Amino acid sequence: MTQPTLHYWYEFASPYSYLSAVRIGDVAKERGVKVIWRPFLLGGIYKMLELPIPPMQLNPMKAEYMWLDCARQAKRHGIPLHKPDHFPQSAVLPARVALIGLKEGWGEAFSIRVYQANFVHNQLISDVDVISQILAEMGQKPEHVMARATTPENKQALMAETQEAFDKKIFGVPTFFAGDEIFWGDDRLELALETAVG
Amino acid sequence: MTQPTLHYWYEFASPYSYLSAVRIGDVAKERGVKVIWRPFLLGGIYKMLELPIPPMQLNPMKAEYMWLDCARQAKRHGIPLHKPDHFPQSAVLPARVALIGLKEGWGEAFSIRVYQANFVHNQLISDVDVISQILAEMGQKPEHVMARATTPENKQALMAETQEAFDKKIFGVPTFFAGDEIFWGDDRLELALETAVG
């Protein structure tokens, strides 16, 4: 019997994706579900949909509420959350690095650290020094990783992931796929896992 | 000791408000919470925010997902849901009638029937005949109620409710208030009730 699998599509700019990134390891393990981490660029999808980035700026009251709700959910799960001074941040650099890391087995831990840089330590995740420091702390050689992350092939790979997200009708993050079934939002993670288990 | 109170702000066009309308009586009763029903016109708020109506039309993939998610939530709660041919519908007429009904003690039952007309029976809730039939079935005299619902005073009362919703930074529905704390979405109903209980 094959192990149940969940695809976790995420974007480093998103605070709700951060909540899922921190939670998903344990809650998936409890249910025996394997998680495939799928970083992509949500901004690329907004561009294809001709939406402003982020679309929430159209509704400032909703944007204000988002942080309130996210803080409540973080508290409920015991997850630290600090509203970053810069929001939303460009995730191009860490997403390119994450793709390399996921191929080499350190992508999940790296992704969590990037989220913590953004939503706990108020750091700029588009900053090469910030990402390099994370890599060094993880025992990676930052310059070697950066060189591989910025090859034309890897840049193209991230664009292909974003195109696949669009083709799968992903419009926000986090999004989970259990087979062909789509679930949007950190608060649908448990339901997505139940569906994956079947 | 005063009874814990929750304000339930709703709009008849909204399928998630329908889920809450059907659920809120029981889940509030279980927790000893009194619910104050607050109909208003979300379209009025979108106009004040200069957003298209509904804003979701900007993102057709999100709109498509909404129905999928809403159907899942309805199934989970055992609530019938039929995607209406007309969406979103104007809620001006039923909201005016609901304000009258809430003053006279039949507004909650009326509101649930309007939601069922929209989201179960695929009826036009902006149609005077549809609303009149609901009123007749409830033992009200439709013409008398309609006359009271369409007075300048009652029209003004609904506009005042919508303005109050805007002033409270309500941007979507359903929205719940436990004291000054705002909660958006049917899936935050239980948390809102817990907060009301304190």
Side-chain angles (χ1 to χ4, degrees):
Chain A
M1 190 181 152
T2 48
Q3 188 180 12
T5 300
L6 191 76
H7 283 251
Y8 159 51
W9 291 83
Y10 63 102
E11 147 78 59
F12 286 114
S14 150
Y16 287 107
S17 294
Y18 159 54
L19 298 186
S20 291
V22 180
R23 285 170 4 85
I24 201 165
D26 287 341
V27 292
K29 203 172 192 178
E30 280 169 21
R31 292 162 178 81
V33 176
K34 181 182 175 182
V35 178
I36 314 284
W37 291 53
R38 306 291 301 265
F40 73 106
L41 299 176
L42 185 57
I45 286 183
Y46 291 153
K47 274 180 202 162
M48 290 189 244
L49 291 171
E50 296 181 5
L51 289 171
I53 300 175
M56 207 171 272
Q57 71 181 255
L58 295 171
N59 191 336
M61 304 197 299
K62 188 173 183 178
E64 186 181 328
Y65 175 82
M66 183 196 74
W67 288 107
L68 178 67
D69 180 69
C70 206
R72 274 195 202 121
Q73 296 296 316
K75 193 178 170 191
R76 190 164 76 86
H77 294 301
I79 297 170
L81 175 69
H82 175 275
K83 184 180 168 179
D85 292 334
H86 300 273
F87 180 83
Q89 293 199 40
S90 166
V92 174
L93 176 64
R96 285 174 179 165
V97 173
L99 277 189
I100 299 292
L102 288 162
K103 277 193 274 190
E104 300 182 356
W106 48 268
E108 300 177 17
F110 170 78
S111 295
I112 290 172
R113 281 174 182 254
V114 171
Y115 277 120
Q116 290 168 334
N118 192 351
F119 296 111
V120 183
H121 306 304
N122 200 24
Q123 292 179 298
L124 276 181
I125 61 170
S126 57
D127 185 330
V128 174
D129 291 342
V130 169
I131 299 302
S132 295
Q133 194 190 339
I134 291 172
L135 289 168
E137 285 168 6
M138 292 178 65
Q140 299 295 323
K141 291 181 182 163
E143 281 161 42
H144 289 199
V145 173
M146 288 293 180
R148 275 173 291 154
T150 52
T151 60
E153 292 72 23
N154 196 55
K155 290 179 180 178
Q156 178 56 41
L158 182 59
M159 285 170 65
E161 287 294 289
T162 300
Q163 181 64 49
E164 184 178 340
F166 183 80
D167 294 341
K168 286 184 176 300
K169 300 191 178 181
I170 291 175
F171 57 86
V173 282
T175 287
F176 311 100
F177 269 90
D180 290 336
E181 277 214 65
I182 183 172
F183 297 84
W184 170 54
D186 175 67
D187 52 12
R188 296 295 187 269
L189 171 55
E190 282 76 7
L191 184 61
L193 287 166
E194 283 167 31
T195 305
V197 172
Chain B
M1 192 182 152
T2 48
Q3 189 181 12
T5 300
L6 190 76
H7 285 250
Y8 160 50
W9 291 83
Y10 63 103
E11 147 76 60
F12 287 114
S14 150
Y16 288 107
S17 295
Y18 158 55
L19 299 186
S20 290
V22 179
R23 286 172 0 89
I24 200 166
D26 287 341
V27 292
K29 201 172 192 177
E30 281 169 19
R31 293 162 177 82
V33 176
K34 182 183 174 182
V35 178
I36 314 285
W37 291 53
R38 306 293 300 265
F40 73 105
L41 298 177
L42 184 57
I45 286 183
Y46 291 154
K47 275 180 202 163
M48 290 188 245
L49 291 171
E50 297 182 4
L51 289 171
I53 300 175
M56 207 172 270
Q57 71 181 257
L58 294 172
N59 191 336
M61 305 198 298
K62 188 173 182 177
E64 185 182 329
Y65 175 82
M66 184 196 72
W67 288 106
L68 178 68
D69 180 68
C70 207
R72 272 193 203 125
Q73 296 296 314
K75 193 177 171 191
R76 191 164 75 87
H77 293 302
I79 298 170
L81 175 69
H82 175 275
K83 184 179 168 181
D85 292 335
H86 301 273
F87 180 82
Q89 293 199 40
S90 166
V92 174
L93 176 63
R96 285 175 179 165
V97 173
L99 277 189
I100 298 293
L102 288 162
K103 277 193 274 187
E104 299 182 356
W106 49 268
E108 300 177 18
F110 170 78
S111 295
I112 290 172
R113 281 173 182 253
V114 171
Y115 277 119
Q116 291 168 334
N118 192 351
F119 295 111
V120 183
H121 306 304
N122 201 25
Q123 292 178 297
L124 276 180
I125 61 170
S126 57
D127 185 331
V128 174
D129 291 343
V130 169
I131 299 303
S132 294
Q133 194 191 338
I134 291 172
L135 290 167
E137 285 169 6
M138 292 178 66
Q140 299 296 322
K141 292 179 181 163
E143 283 162 37
H144 290 199
V145 173
M146 288 293 180
R148 276 174 289 155
T150 52
T151 60
E153 291 73 23
N154 195 55
K155 289 179 180 179
Q156 179 55 43
L158 181 59
M159 285 168 64
E161 288 293 290
T162 300
Q163 181 64 50
E164 185 179 338
F166 183 80
D167 294 342
K168 286 183 175 303
K169 301 191 178 180
I170 291 175
F171 57 86
V173 283
T175 287
F176 311 100
F177 269 90
D180 290 336
E181 277 214 66
I182 184 173
F183 297 85
W184 171 54
D186 175 68
D187 52 12
R188 296 294 187 270
L189 171 54
E190 281 75 8
L191 184 62
L193 287 165
E194 284 166 30
T195 306
V197 171

